[in-house]
Amino acid sequence: MIFSSVLCFLLTKVLKIFKVEEGMTLEIYVTSVIPIGAMFAMTLWLGNTAYLYISVSFAQMLKAIMPVAVFVLGVAAGLEMMSCRMLLIMSIISFGVLVASYGELNINWIGVVYQMGGVVGEALRLIFMEILVKRKGIKLNPISLMYYVSPCSAVCLFLPWIFLEKSKMEGNSTWDFHFVVLTLNSLCTFALNLSVFLVISHTSALTIRVAGVVKDWVVVLVSALLFADTKLTVINLFGYAIAIAGVAAYNNHKLKKEASPRVTTETPGDDSESIALVSQANTER
């Protein structure tokens, strides 16, 4: 998050390659951006901790439950309307994730709890961002979003790290700071966010959503080839296929819903769609 903050500052204020959207006030920052940054920190912390207990492919399968969490919280916040169609889609996704979990050979419930906590944090963050866009009228492109949110997330991660993890790291004499690996990871994260911004700007939200579904399958299959602790079963893949089918139906429903009232003068990269997509990219680097 510190790396992202510095890069965003250089690109927007020093090199001026990108422009930071106007309209941000102290009140909006305190009431909207800080909660978004806090939920982002929660997502990163819990989601990354889950990898200590479960495989990359299984974590990816559990992430398929995200639309269900977003929809349930959206209904509670008054942003979504319950319908028979959406209820069916949510049921398909939930059933698929349950089947995929049942097929996991080495399931670790601590890792599952961490991953589900990360999913809830991400869902809350998307809800807060939708409130920011729809109720407060602030529209941010992904670069502007990272410019405002990254410093807040860095602080939210730094404070609990001091009290909960710093002492453990200092007490572990074998701990080593892999600067090159962390730098490459940060560069990949920022490059992913930037690529989402460019794809949305030059194509459409549908393109990035279709690419996202393909990416999900690639992550599951490639991680199974790269990591020895990952063992995929037929039940795993069958359940995940059901969940992905539900996610595809959800994406199609959302795109049709968002396309109908859209004003023709609106630019592709400046709506809540781009914010939601870059949010997904942030946690799936």
Side-chain angles (χ1 to χ4, degrees):
M1 288 296 97
I2 294 173
F3 187 92
S4 178
S5 301
V6 173
L7 267 185
C8 285
F9 179 81
L10 291 175
L11 290 174
T12 57
K13 299 300 183 181
V14 179
L15 301 177
K16 297 183 179 180
I17 298 176
F18 298 100
K19 180 183 177 182
V20 177
E21 300 294 329
E22 303 293 337
M24 182 62 65
T25 64
L26 179 60
E27 179 187 359
I28 293 176
Y29 192 88
V30 172
T31 58
S32 296
V33 176
I34 289 180
I36 291 171
M39 290 302 101
F40 192 13
M42 173 181 171
T43 300
L44 292 175
W45 191 355
L46 297 180
N48 286 340
T49 304
Y51 290 119
L52 299 175
Y53 302 93
I54 58 178
S55 65
V56 173
S57 60
F58 185 49
Q60 189 68 32
M61 292 178 185
L62 293 177
K63 287 179 184 178
I65 202 74
M66 177 69 69
V68 178
V70 173
F71 179 73
V72 171
L73 292 173
V75 171
L79 298 173
E80 297 281 357
M81 295 294 294
M82 182 66 73
S83 66
C84 293
R85 179 182 177 84
M86 289 302 295
L87 189 61
L88 176 62
I89 292 174
M90 297 302 111
S91 300
I92 292 174
I93 296 174
S94 301
F95 177 73
V97 173
L98 286 175
V99 172
S101 301
Y102 179 78
E104 180 67 14
L105 295 177
N106 301 313
I107 189 168
N108 186 305
W109 290 107
I110 296 178
V112 172
V113 170
Y114 274 121
Q115 186 59 63
M116 289 298 100
V119 167
V120 171
E122 176 68 3
L124 285 171
R125 184 166 66 106
L126 292 174
I127 294 299
F128 286 140
M129 284 193 293
E130 192 165 352
I131 291 174
L132 178 68
V133 171
K134 290 186 176 180
R135 295 184 181 176
K136 299 189 178 181
I138 302 297
K139 296 182 179 180
L140 302 174
N141 61 44
I143 298 296
S144 298
L145 179 68
M146 289 188 292
Y147 176 83
Y148 288 118
V149 172
S150 295
C152 179
S153 296
V155 172
C156 291
L157 286 169
F158 182 73
L159 293 177
W161 172 77
I162 293 177
F163 298 103
L164 298 177
E165 293 186 346
K166 184 173 181 293
S167 58
K168 295 180 181 179
M169 294 168 67
E170 290 175 342
N172 188 356
S173 58
T174 61
W175 184 81
D176 186 24
F177 184 76
H178 299 283
F179 179 79
V180 175
V181 175
L182 185 59
T183 302
L184 290 175
N185 180 278
S186 301
L187 278 172
C188 288
T189 304
F190 191 85
L192 176 59
N193 294 334
L194 186 60
S195 68
V196 170
F197 172 66
L198 294 174
V199 169
I200 295 174
S201 299
H202 291 85
T203 57
S204 66
L206 176 61
T207 302
I208 196 67
R209 285 193 181 275
V210 172
V213 173
V214 175
K215 181 265 303 174
D216 291 340
W217 275 105
V218 171
V219 169
V220 170
L221 297 177
V222 172
S223 64
L225 295 175
L226 292 179
F227 303 112
D229 63 333
T230 302
K231 294 180 177 60
L232 294 177
T233 64
V234 176
I235 299 178
N236 268 147
L237 296 175
F238 178 68
Y240 189 53
I242 295 175
I244 287 296
V247 171
Y250 172 79
N251 288 340
N252 181 61
H253 177 77
K254 292 291 289 183
L255 286 170
K256 288 182 178 179
K257 181 180 177 182
E258 291 165 359
S260 55
R262 180 167 294 179
V263 180
T264 55
T265 56
E266 186 177 7
T267 56
D270 292 335
D271 58 7
S272 57
E273 181 71 18
S274 63
I275 293 178
L277 290 169
V278 79
S279 302
Q280 182 182 3
N282 270 313
T283 53
E284 295 182 356
R285 60 199 183 281

